[in-house]
Amino acid sequence: MTPPHRDSEPQGHQHGHTHSHGPAAPVSARLRKVIAAVLIPFAAAVLVGLVALWPGSAPAHERTGVGFDRETQQGKVVSVVRIDCGDVNASQVPVDTGTGPPEGRPATGRGLCGKATVEVTTGSDKGRRFAEVVQPDAPRQLRAGQEVVVAYAPDAPRDLQYSVTDVNRKFPLVLLAGIFAVAVVLVGRMRGVMALVALALSFAVLTLFILPAILQGSNPLLVAVVGAGAIMLIALYICHGPTARTSVAVIGTLVSLMLIGLLGSLFIGWASLSGNTDDSTGIIHGLYPHIDMSGLLLAGVIIGSLGVLDDVTVTQTSAVWELRQANPTMSTRQLYRAGIRIGRDHIASVVNTLVLAYAGAALPLLLLFTVAQSGMGTVANSELVAEEIVRTLVGSIGLVASVPVTTALAAVVVSADRTGIGPEAMASAPVRAGRGRRRRARS
């Protein structure tokens, strides 16, 4: 019979292992060196790229007065009065259909327009007032006290130099951003705070490096790769800490981004996508003809895929690590199979989310094709839709590939580590099996 004091020690070890919910033990020094050998050259290359391509600021140009490329100021609607549209020669005045004067339209059949008096509240012409006529069927109606954005055209006649271009939405947007930040911090606590810090730094990389560097004439693909690498390193390590788990997720994300870049470059060229498909890209091409618009499209695919890739790779890495900690006897193949089962559910939800996100953004365009009664082949063949199809499918392929790549990498790393598992975890399973055999023998 086994002495009682020999059983007592394994039971104590078993209890300590079963109820341990702290962070996983650090990996061995050998594995840290292997991971560092991969990531340090990559981080150094990103740093060199940032220094070499750093633009300083966006190049200056003469304003065209078209779209966003206009000088704007802030304004406020002082008053709004209703007048007959015919008295101000308003175009597209609604006509009487013979069914009686609808609400808001006089019996004359010409329609009531709103004549707003707007005061400029910023700039050298602060205090200057001008009149803005709003037709009754205009999608944006003005009201007294409303904050607006006004455009300034210095070459126009004095009475026509200012016009209302949009309403001022700063307060509701800032309020919504505040609610978002509070929700993230309340739920995520310190991890939520770090996520907000990472978000701010990622936005800084986008606005201070990526956009000005592209405008300055640097290769959009190279800028996107360097910028995406910087954002990936900043976001992942700030949010999840400088651990082996995070490093494996970084490597998995890097491999997936390389695949997205290769596939995107291949199919954007094969499908002859110019990247110049709407008013915004047309203005950019007109102002900066040296910019490679197809390269800009590929850069957008890479940066747009990065956020979802981070989520997938971090989740898969954490799943494999937790599986290993829960059952240290699992082999590399068992870890991979268990992790990939989790990943399949993740793939289904993420791909569906990505496709619906792009479809939602292109919904007005899809409505136009529906109204035109165009066939599905005609719709898909148009460059506007084909661009979104390539963007969606290339990004989705990268997401799908990131699951087995990251899962396999995490399984190999955590299985190869001997120090990180801990002697207590390794001893718990055989001790329990031995006691089970003793119980069967006594019975």
Side-chain angles (χ1 to χ4, degrees), residues 34 79 116 126 131 183 190 208 232 241 257 266 299 331-332 364 411-412 433:
V34 172
S79 63
K126 182 179 179 180
M190 183 53 65
L208 298 179
M232 177 176 61
L257 281 179
L266 173 63
S331 65
T332 302
V412 169

Side-chain angles (χ1 to χ4, degrees), residues 27-314:
V27 297
S28 62
R30 181 174 62 88
L31 271 181
R32 287 200 298 269
K33 290 179 181 178
V34 172
I35 293 173
V38 176
L39 289 181
I40 289 178
F42 170 67
V46 170
L47 182 60
V48 170
L50 286 172
V51 174
L53 299 174
W54 193 265
S57 61
H61 69 277
E62 294 185 5
R63 292 184 180 273
T64 62
V66 179
F68 290 105
D69 195 38
R70 291 182 288 183
E71 180 180 345
T72 59
Q73 300 292 344
Q74 301 299 311
K76 184 176 182 179
V77 179
V78 178
S79 63
V80 179
V81 296
R82 295 293 175 183
I83 58 175
D84 194 314
C85 292
D87 294 341
V88 291
N89 296 322
S91 61
Q92 297 179 354
V93 177
V95 296
D96 193 353
T97 59
T99 58
E103 183 179 356
R105 186 187 301 174
T108 59
R110 298 195 217 176
L112 284 178
C113 290
K115 184 177 181 180
T117 301
V118 182
E119 181 178 333
V120 181
T121 57
T122 60
S124 58
D125 286 336
K126 182 179 179 180
R128 179 175 168 181
R129 296 188 175 188
F130 64 94
E132 180 84 9
V133 176
V134 183
Q135 298 185 30
D137 56 347
R140 183 181 62 242
Q141 298 293 321
L142 300 179
R143 64 179 185 275
Q146 188 175 28
E147 301 287 338
V148 294
V149 178
V150 297
Y152 176 61
D155 297 332
R158 179 173 174 80
D159 293 343
L160 302 177
Q161 286 181 335
Y162 281 97
S163 61
V164 176
T165 60
D166 212 338
V167 298
N168 191 331
R169 303 181 180 90
K170 289 183 179 179
F171 178 74
L173 293 180
V174 170
L175 178 61
L176 182 59
I179 295 173
F180 164 74
V182 170
V184 170
V185 173
L186 287 178
V187 177
R189 299 186 180 180
M190 183 53 65
R191 188 65 63 88
V193 173
M194 300 310 295
L196 293 177
V197 172
L199 178 62
L201 292 176
S202 300
F203 188 75
V205 172
L206 180 65
T207 56
L208 298 179
F209 171 70
I210 295 178
L211 299 180
I214 292 175
L215 290 177
Q216 198 177 54
S218 299
N219 184 281
L221 177 58
L222 183 59
V223 171
V225 170
V226 173
I231 291 173
M232 177 176 61
L233 293 173
I234 291 172
L236 287 179
Y237 281 114
I238 285 181
C239 291
H240 305 285
T243 64
R245 290 190 191 187
T246 308
S247 299
V248 170
V250 168
I251 297 174
T253 304
L254 176 61
V255 172
S256 302
L257 281 179
M258 291 172 59
L259 177 61
I260 289 174
L262 291 174
L263 287 176
S265 179
L266 173 63
F267 283 94
I268 287 175
W270 197 359
S272 299
L273 298 177
S274 66
N276 189 2
T277 54
D278 54 23
D279 293 340
S280 299
T281 54
I283 293 175
I284 292 173
H285 185 64
L287 293 174
Y288 304 98
H290 58 274
I291 293 179
D292 179 11
M293 300 305 294
S294 60
L296 185 63
L297 172 61
L298 179 57
V301 172
I302 293 174
I303 295 173
S305 303
L306 178 59
V308 188
L309 272 177
D310 288 351
D311 173 47
V312 173
T313 55
V314 168

